[in-house]
């Protein structure tokens, strides 16, 4: 399952990169950056909340 998550994150990262460079307006690029940061922060918070004192569940 972890390998699938890594592969999915790689694909999503590449797609985000493609979209970022396809967008010409700086304001829209800033929106993409803010969205990506929000998603990353949410994912990190979810990982922290799902971790047990002994370590991550899995």
């Amino acid at each position: 399952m972890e390998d699938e998550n890594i592969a999915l994150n790689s694909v999503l990262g590449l797609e985000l990169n493609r979209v970022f460079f396809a967008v010409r307006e700086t304001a829209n690029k800033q929106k993409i950056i803010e969205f990506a940061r929000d998603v990353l922060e949410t994912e990190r918070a979810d990982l922290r909340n799902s971790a047990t004192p002994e370590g991550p569940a899995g």
Side-chain angles (χ1 to χ4, degrees):
M1 182 69 166
E2 186 174 338
D3 289 340
E4 291 174 8
N5 287 339
I6 291 170
L8 180 59
N9 286 340
S10 295
V11 170
L12 290 174
L14 290 171
E15 189 64 16
L16 179 61
N17 195 39
R18 184 191 68 76
V19 169
F20 182 80
F21 286 105
V23 171
R24 296 187 191 274
E25 296 82 20
T26 301
N28 287 335
K29 285 185 177 188
Q30 187 61 38
K31 289 178 185 178
I32 293 170
I33 292 168
E34 291 170 6
F35 174 75
R37 284 182 180 154
D38 288 344
V39 170
L40 184 59
E41 288 174 10
T42 300
E43 290 293 318
R44 286 180 176 166
D46 289 348
L47 285 174
R48 282 192 301 268
N49 292 337
S50 68
T52 63
E54 301 86 38

